[in-house]
mmCIF file of all heavy atoms in Angstrom:
data_model
loop_
_atom_site.group_PDB
_atom_site.id
_atom_site.type_symbol
_atom_site.label_atom_id
_atom_site.label_comp_id
_atom_site.label_asym_id
_atom_site.label_seq_id
_atom_site.Cartn_x
_atom_site.Cartn_y
_atom_site.Cartn_z
ATOM 1 N N GLU A 53 -19.387 -9.114 1.309
ATOM 2 C CA GLU A 53 -20.057 -10.447 1.241
ATOM 3 C C GLU A 53 -19.486 -11.346 2.354
ATOM 4 O O GLU A 53 -20.216 -12.043 3.025
ATOM 5 C CB GLU A 53 -19.988 -11.011 -0.196
ATOM 6 C CG GLU A 53 -20.882 -12.261 -0.264
ATOM 7 C CD GLU A 53 -22.361 -12.032 -0.125
ATOM 8 O OE1 GLU A 53 -22.829 -10.944 -0.382
ATOM 9 O OE2 GLU A 53 -23.013 -13.034 0.413
ATOM 10 N N ILE A 54 -18.163 -11.345 2.440
ATOM 11 C CA ILE A 54 -17.477 -12.147 3.487
ATOM 12 C C ILE A 54 -17.933 -11.675 4.848
ATOM 13 O O ILE A 54 -18.253 -12.554 5.713
ATOM 14 C CB ILE A 54 -15.991 -12.034 3.330
ATOM 15 C CG1 ILE A 54 -15.481 -12.818 2.068
ATOM 16 C CG2 ILE A 54 -15.290 -12.657 4.611
ATOM 17 C CD1 ILE A 54 -14.088 -12.528 1.751
ATOM 18 N N ILE A 55 -17.910 -10.440 5.073
ATOM 19 C CA ILE A 55 -18.402 -9.843 6.368
ATOM 20 C C ILE A 55 -19.866 -10.181 6.679
ATOM 21 O O ILE A 55 -20.177 -10.592 7.782
ATOM 22 C CB ILE A 55 -18.126 -8.269 6.437
ATOM 23 C CG1 ILE A 55 -16.632 -8.013 6.384
ATOM 24 C CG2 ILE A 55 -18.842 -7.683 7.597
ATOM 25 C CD1 ILE A 55 -16.229 -6.618 6.227
ATOM 26 N N LYS A 56 -20.658 -10.125 5.770
ATOM 27 C CA LYS A 56 -22.081 -10.396 5.841
ATOM 28 C C LYS A 56 -22.323 -11.862 6.240
ATOM 29 O O LYS A 56 -23.226 -12.148 7.010
ATOM 30 C CB LYS A 56 -22.852 -10.013 4.524
ATOM 31 C CG LYS A 56 -24.323 -10.078 4.707
ATOM 32 C CD LYS A 56 -25.050 -9.421 3.474
ATOM 33 C CE LYS A 56 -25.080 -10.325 2.352
ATOM 34 N NZ LYS A 56 -25.836 -9.914 1.177
ATOM 35 N N GLN A 57 -21.566 -12.724 5.611
ATOM 36 C CA GLN A 57 -21.778 -14.142 5.848
ATOM 37 C C GLN A 57 -21.042 -14.670 7.189
ATOM 38 O O GLN A 57 -21.273 -15.725 7.619
ATOM 39 C CB GLN A 57 -21.210 -15.013 4.662
ATOM 40 C CG GLN A 57 -22.020 -14.883 3.485
ATOM 41 C CD GLN A 57 -21.409 -15.520 2.345
ATOM 42 O OE1 GLN A 57 -20.530 -16.375 2.439
ATOM 43 N NE2 GLN A 57 -22.062 -15.422 1.152
ATOM 44 N N ASP A 58 -20.090 -13.854 7.727
ATOM 45 C CA ASP A 58 -19.384 -14.247 8.996
ATOM 46 C C ASP A 58 -20.038 -13.645 10.282
ATOM 47 O O ASP A 58 -19.638 -12.498 10.640
ATOM 48 C CB ASP A 58 -18.012 -13.841 8.853
ATOM 49 C CG ASP A 58 -17.093 -14.347 10.021
ATOM 50 O OD1 ASP A 58 -17.513 -15.026 10.933
ATOM 51 O OD2 ASP A 58 -15.840 -13.876 9.953
ATOM 52 N N SER A 59 -20.909 -14.340 10.778
ATOM 53 C CA SER A 59 -21.603 -13.816 12.043
ATOM 54 C C SER A 59 -20.797 -14.111 13.360
ATOM 55 O O SER A 59 -21.143 -13.562 14.399
ATOM 56 C CB SER A 59 -22.964 -14.366 12.129
ATOM 57 O OG SER A 59 -22.973 -15.812 12.260
ATOM 58 N N ALA A 60 -19.807 -14.909 13.184
ATOM 59 C CA ALA A 60 -18.942 -15.220 14.360
ATOM 60 C C ALA A 60 -17.960 -14.083 14.794
ATOM 61 O O ALA A 60 -17.571 -14.094 15.954
ATOM 62 C CB ALA A 60 -18.172 -16.508 14.089
ATOM 63 N N ASN A 61 -17.670 -13.192 13.923
ATOM 64 C CA ASN A 61 -16.724 -12.184 14.200
ATOM 65 C C ASN A 61 -17.271 -10.731 14.067
ATOM 66 O O ASN A 61 -18.188 -10.558 13.195
ATOM 67 C CB ASN A 61 -15.489 -12.283 13.267
ATOM 68 C CG ASN A 61 -14.782 -13.563 13.493
ATOM 69 O OD1 ASN A 61 -14.272 -13.863 14.591
ATOM 70 N ND2 ASN A 61 -14.633 -14.414 12.495
ATOM 71 N N THR A 62 -16.728 -9.843 14.785
ATOM 72 C CA THR A 62 -17.204 -8.408 14.721
ATOM 73 C C THR A 62 -16.134 -7.681 13.904
ATOM 74 O O THR A 62 -14.973 -7.471 14.395
ATOM 75 C CB THR A 62 -17.343 -7.770 16.197
ATOM 76 O OG1 THR A 62 -18.290 -8.612 16.825
ATOM 77 C CG2 THR A 62 -17.809 -6.402 16.056
ATOM 78 N N TYR A 63 -16.490 -7.296 12.721
ATOM 79 C CA TYR A 63 -15.499 -6.614 11.889
ATOM 80 C C TYR A 63 -15.467 -5.074 12.217
ATOM 81 O O TYR A 63 -16.541 -4.446 12.464
ATOM 82 C CB TYR A 63 -15.893 -6.741 10.422
ATOM 83 C CG TYR A 63 -15.555 -8.162 9.949
ATOM 84 C CD1 TYR A 63 -16.489 -9.172 10.139
ATOM 85 C CD2 TYR A 63 -14.362 -8.453 9.239
ATOM 86 C CE1 TYR A 63 -16.173 -10.465 9.845
ATOM 87 C CE2 TYR A 63 -14.104 -9.690 8.858
ATOM 88 C CZ TYR A 63 -14.984 -10.685 9.104
ATOM 89 O OH TYR A 63 -14.722 -12.031 8.572
ATOM 90 N N LEU A 64 -14.339 -4.551 12.089
ATOM 91 C CA LEU A 64 -14.148 -3.113 12.235
ATOM 92 C C LEU A 64 -13.601 -2.568 10.946
ATOM 93 O O LEU A 64 -12.852 -3.255 10.206
ATOM 94 C CB LEU A 64 -13.129 -2.820 13.446
ATOM 95 C CG LEU A 64 -13.598 -3.368 14.782
ATOM 96 C CD1 LEU A 64 -12.331 -3.334 15.697
ATOM 97 C CD2 LEU A 64 -14.717 -2.619 15.348
ATOM 98 N N SER A 65 -13.907 -1.280 10.596
ATOM 99 C CA SER A 65 -13.427 -0.654 9.516
ATOM 100 C C SER A 65 -12.248 0.345 9.810
ATOM 101 O O SER A 65 -12.445 1.142 10.759
ATOM 102 C CB SER A 65 -14.448 0.117 8.797
ATOM 103 O OG SER A 65 -14.014 0.897 7.705
ATOM 104 N N SER A 66 -11.105 0.230 9.170
ATOM 105 C CA SER A 66 -10.066 1.100 9.402
ATOM 106 C C SER A 66 -10.231 2.477 8.586
ATOM 107 O O SER A 66 -10.924 2.419 7.594
ATOM 108 C CB SER A 66 -8.764 0.534 9.147
ATOM 109 O OG SER A 66 -8.515 0.561 7.719
ATOM 110 N N ASN A 67 -9.527 3.422 9.002
ATOM 111 C CA ASN A 67 -9.513 4.662 8.276
ATOM 112 C C ASN A 67 -8.676 4.568 6.957
ATOM 113 O O ASN A 67 -8.711 5.385 6.105
ATOM 114 C CB ASN A 67 -8.991 5.871 9.039
ATOM 115 C CG ASN A 67 -9.837 6.232 10.219
ATOM 116 O OD1 ASN A 67 -10.998 5.975 10.228
ATOM 117 N ND2 ASN A 67 -9.214 6.671 11.297
ATOM 118 N N SER A 68 -7.888 3.533 6.834
ATOM 119 C CA SER A 68 -6.965 3.282 5.752
ATOM 120 C C SER A 68 -7.627 2.453 4.592
ATOM 121 O O SER A 68 -6.878 2.102 3.669
ATOM 122 C CB SER A 68 -5.737 2.530 6.273
ATOM 123 O OG SER A 68 -5.075 3.352 7.170
ATOM 124 N N GLY A 69 -8.825 2.053 4.772
ATOM 125 C CA GLY A 69 -9.512 1.300 3.669
ATOM 126 C C GLY A 69 -9.512 -0.175 3.745
ATOM 127 O O GLY A 69 -9.543 -0.826 2.670
ATOM 128 N N PHE A 70 -9.355 -0.766 4.886
ATOM 129 C CA PHE A 70 -9.409 -2.297 5.032
ATOM 130 C C PHE A 70 -10.320 -2.583 6.265
ATOM 131 O O PHE A 70 -10.625 -1.692 7.056
ATOM 132 C CB PHE A 70 -8.070 -2.933 5.110
ATOM 133 C CG PHE A 70 -7.247 -2.386 6.331
ATOM 134 C CD1 PHE A 70 -7.371 -2.906 7.601
ATOM 135 C CD2 PHE A 70 -6.302 -1.314 6.140
ATOM 136 C CE1 PHE A 70 -6.570 -2.457 8.585
ATOM 137 C CE2 PHE A 70 -5.522 -0.878 7.135
ATOM 138 C CZ PHE A 70 -5.614 -1.458 8.416
ATOM 139 N N TYR A 71 -10.676 -3.849 6.385
ATOM 140 C CA TYR A 71 -11.475 -4.331 7.481
ATOM 141 C C TYR A 71 -10.634 -5.330 8.304
ATOM 142 O O TYR A 71 -9.722 -5.918 7.823
ATOM 143 C CB TYR A 71 -12.759 -5.005 6.999
ATOM 144 C CG TYR A 71 -13.727 -4.027 6.349
ATOM 145 C CD1 TYR A 71 -13.624 -3.769 4.990
ATOM 146 C CD2 TYR A 71 -14.652 -3.421 7.085
ATOM 147 C CE1 TYR A 71 -14.507 -2.904 4.390
ATOM 148 C CE2 TYR A 71 -15.595 -2.488 6.509
ATOM 149 C CZ TYR A 71 -15.524 -2.255 5.194
ATOM 150 O OH TYR A 71 -16.379 -1.416 4.631
ATOM 151 N N TYR A 72 -11.098 -5.447 9.596
ATOM 152 C CA TYR A 72 -10.363 -6.321 10.424
ATOM 153 C C TYR A 72 -11.214 -6.831 11.593
ATOM 154 O O TYR A 72 -12.214 -6.160 11.996
ATOM 155 C CB TYR A 72 -9.011 -5.777 11.038
ATOM 156 C CG TYR A 72 -9.175 -4.610 11.917
ATOM 157 C CD1 TYR A 72 -9.064 -4.610 13.192
ATOM 158 C CD2 TYR A 72 -9.474 -3.339 11.305
ATOM 159 C CE1 TYR A 72 -9.247 -3.469 14.021
ATOM 160 C CE2 TYR A 72 -9.549 -2.174 12.082
ATOM 161 C CZ TYR A 72 -9.509 -2.246 13.482
ATOM 162 O OH TYR A 72 -9.663 -1.107 14.261
ATOM 163 N N TYR A 73 -10.734 -7.941 12.182
ATOM 164 C CA TYR A 73 -11.475 -8.411 13.492
ATOM 165 C C TYR A 73 -10.347 -8.966 14.404
ATOM 166 O O TYR A 73 -9.353 -9.404 13.941
ATOM 167 C CB TYR A 73 -12.589 -9.437 13.161
ATOM 168 C CG TYR A 73 -12.149 -10.744 12.616
ATOM 169 C CD1 TYR A 73 -11.729 -11.779 13.434
ATOM 170 C CD2 TYR A 73 -12.246 -10.848 11.248
ATOM 171 C CE1 TYR A 73 -11.378 -13.014 12.831
ATOM 172 C CE2 TYR A 73 -11.818 -12.144 10.729
ATOM 173 C CZ TYR A 73 -11.447 -13.142 11.411
ATOM 174 O OH TYR A 73 -11.059 -14.370 10.952
ATOM 175 N N TYR A 74 -10.680 -8.944 15.671
ATOM 176 C CA TYR A 74 -9.717 -9.594 16.733
ATOM 177 C C TYR A 74 -10.054 -10.985 16.860
ATOM 178 O O TYR A 74 -11.106 -11.473 17.157
ATOM 179 C CB TYR A 74 -9.933 -8.872 18.040
ATOM 180 C CG TYR A 74 -9.439 -7.400 17.981
ATOM 181 C CD1 TYR A 74 -10.189 -6.362 17.587
ATOM 182 C CD2 TYR A 74 -8.063 -7.192 18.309
ATOM 183 C CE1 TYR A 74 -9.747 -5.079 17.654
ATOM 184 C CE2 TYR A 74 -7.597 -5.849 18.273
ATOM 185 C CZ TYR A 74 -8.443 -4.809 17.863
ATOM 186 O OH TYR A 74 -7.878 -3.513 17.879
ATOM 187 N N ASN A 75 -8.965 -11.838 16.673
ATOM 188 C CA ASN A 75 -9.009 -13.314 16.985
ATOM 189 C C ASN A 75 -8.670 -13.398 18.496
ATOM 190 O O ASN A 75 -9.298 -14.243 19.239
ATOM 191 C CB ASN A 75 -7.914 -14.007 16.273
ATOM 192 C CG ASN A 75 -8.108 -13.972 14.784
ATOM 193 O OD1 ASN A 75 -7.652 -12.954 14.217
ATOM 194 N ND2 ASN A 75 -8.738 -14.881 14.159
ATOM 195 N N LYS A 76 -7.825 -12.634 19.048
ATOM 196 C CA LYS A 76 -7.388 -12.590 20.385
ATOM 197 C C LYS A 76 -7.086 -11.081 20.761
ATOM 198 O O LYS A 76 -6.249 -10.507 20.167
ATOM 199 C CB LYS A 76 -6.110 -13.450 20.568
ATOM 200 C CG LYS A 76 -5.652 -13.409 22.063
ATOM 201 C CD LYS A 76 -4.309 -14.183 22.167
ATOM 202 C CE LYS A 76 -3.744 -13.930 23.590
ATOM 203 N NZ LYS A 76 -2.305 -14.357 23.656
ATOM 204 N N ARG A 77 -7.905 -10.636 21.714
ATOM 205 C CA ARG A 77 -7.816 -9.218 22.094
ATOM 206 C C ARG A 77 -7.160 -9.091 23.449
ATOM 207 O O ARG A 77 -7.417 -9.921 24.376
ATOM 208 C CB ARG A 77 -9.184 -8.564 22.103
ATOM 209 C CG ARG A 77 -9.161 -7.098 22.134
ATOM 210 C CD ARG A 77 -10.477 -6.462 21.885
ATOM 211 N NE ARG A 77 -10.256 -5.062 21.376
ATOM 212 C CZ ARG A 77 -11.076 -4.355 20.722
ATOM 213 N NH1 ARG A 77 -12.172 -4.880 20.273
ATOM 214 N NH2 ARG A 77 -10.897 -3.179 20.512
ATOM 215 N N SER A 78 -6.366 -8.086 23.672
ATOM 216 C CA SER A 78 -5.750 -7.904 24.984
ATOM 217 C C SER A 78 -6.823 -7.489 25.984
ATOM 218 O O SER A 78 -7.542 -6.575 25.847
ATOM 219 C CB SER A 78 -4.786 -6.719 24.957
ATOM 220 O OG SER A 78 -4.208 -6.491 26.189
ATOM 221 N N GLU A 79 -6.976 -8.272 27.063
ATOM 222 C CA GLU A 79 -7.871 -7.970 28.058
ATOM 223 C C GLU A 79 -7.193 -7.162 29.250
ATOM 224 O O GLU A 79 -7.915 -6.812 30.202
ATOM 225 C CB GLU A 79 -8.444 -9.312 28.668
ATOM 226 C CG GLU A 79 -9.140 -10.183 27.653
ATOM 227 C CD GLU A 79 -10.331 -9.521 27.054
ATOM 228 O OE1 GLU A 79 -11.029 -8.808 27.710
ATOM 229 O OE2 GLU A 79 -10.548 -9.774 25.861
ATOM 230 N N ASP A 80 -5.972 -6.953 29.136
ATOM 231 C CA ASP A 80 -5.129 -6.244 30.162
ATOM 232 C C ASP A 80 -5.448 -4.723 29.930
ATOM 233 O O ASP A 80 -5.089 -4.149 29.027
ATOM 234 C CB ASP A 80 -3.704 -6.506 30.000
ATOM 235 C CG ASP A 80 -2.865 -5.801 31.077
ATOM 236 O OD1 ASP A 80 -3.369 -5.104 31.999
ATOM 237 O OD2 ASP A 80 -1.540 -5.956 30.958
ATOM 238 N N SER A 81 -6.201 -4.101 30.892
ATOM 239 C CA SER A 81 -6.489 -2.760 30.826
ATOM 240 C C SER A 81 -5.315 -1.847 30.935
ATOM 241 O O SER A 81 -5.378 -0.693 30.572
ATOM 242 C CB SER A 81 -7.597 -2.335 31.886
ATOM 243 O OG SER A 81 -7.039 -2.548 33.144
ATOM 244 N N THR A 82 -4.220 -2.298 31.489
ATOM 245 C CA THR A 82 -2.951 -1.488 31.541
ATOM 246 C C THR A 82 -2.224 -1.443 30.269
ATOM 247 O O THR A 82 -1.298 -0.719 30.077
ATOM 248 C CB THR A 82 -2.135 -1.941 32.757
ATOM 249 O OG1 THR A 82 -1.644 -3.220 32.476
ATOM 250 C CG2 THR A 82 -2.875 -1.829 34.052
ATOM 251 N N ASN A 83 -2.525 -2.396 29.396
ATOM 252 C CA ASN A 83 -1.895 -2.525 28.178
ATOM 253 C C ASN A 83 -2.499 -1.651 27.102
ATOM 254 O O ASN A 83 -3.418 -2.034 26.390
ATOM 255 C CB ASN A 83 -1.849 -4.063 27.592
ATOM 256 C CG ASN A 83 -1.176 -4.227 26.308
ATOM 257 O OD1 ASN A 83 -0.424 -3.370 25.894
ATOM 258 N ND2 ASN A 83 -1.392 -5.400 25.753
ATOM 259 N N THR A 84 -2.028 -0.422 26.957
ATOM 260 C CA THR A 84 -2.555 0.577 26.094
ATOM 261 C C THR A 84 -1.584 0.941 24.994
ATOM 262 O O THR A 84 -1.994 1.705 24.141
ATOM 263 C CB THR A 84 -3.014 1.853 26.864
ATOM 264 O OG1 THR A 84 -1.774 2.399 27.452
ATOM 265 C CG2 THR A 84 -3.993 1.599 27.878
ATOM 266 N N GLU A 85 -0.399 0.403 25.014
ATOM 267 C CA GLU A 85 0.634 0.814 24.042
ATOM 268 C C GLU A 85 0.378 0.196 22.719
ATOM 269 O O GLU A 85 0.193 -1.036 22.564
ATOM 270 C CB GLU A 85 1.983 0.370 24.571
ATOM 271 C CG GLU A 85 2.552 1.126 25.807
ATOM 272 C CD GLU A 85 2.850 2.561 25.612
ATOM 273 O OE1 GLU A 85 3.389 2.890 24.463
ATOM 274 O OE2 GLU A 85 2.647 3.352 26.476
ATOM 275 N N ARG A 86 0.402 1.043 21.726
ATOM 276 C CA ARG A 86 0.366 0.645 20.307
ATOM 277 C C ARG A 86 1.627 1.078 19.540
ATOM 278 O O ARG A 86 2.256 2.123 19.986
ATOM 279 C CB ARG A 86 -0.855 1.274 19.582
ATOM 280 C CG ARG A 86 -2.181 0.795 20.169
ATOM 281 C CD ARG A 86 -3.364 1.370 19.477
ATOM 282 N NE ARG A 86 -4.633 1.270 20.168
ATOM 283 C CZ ARG A 86 -5.401 0.255 20.119
ATOM 284 N NH1 ARG A 86 -5.149 -0.671 19.233
ATOM 285 N NH2 ARG A 86 -6.463 0.206 20.760
#
Side-chain angles (χ1 to χ4, degrees):
E53 186 63 29
I54 290 168
I55 291 170
K56 190 167 77 172
Q57 291 179 5
D58 184 5
S59 59
N61 296 299
T62 303
Y63 287 83
L64 302 167
S65 174
S66 77
N67 294 334
S68 300
F70 58 86
Y71 291 90
Y72 63 101
Y73 65 87
Y74 288 89
N75 302 78
K76 179 183 169 196
R77 195 169 198 155
S78 175
E79 300 300 325
D80 182 1
S81 61
T82 62
N83 181 9
T84 59
E85 294 291 325
R86 296 181 195 272

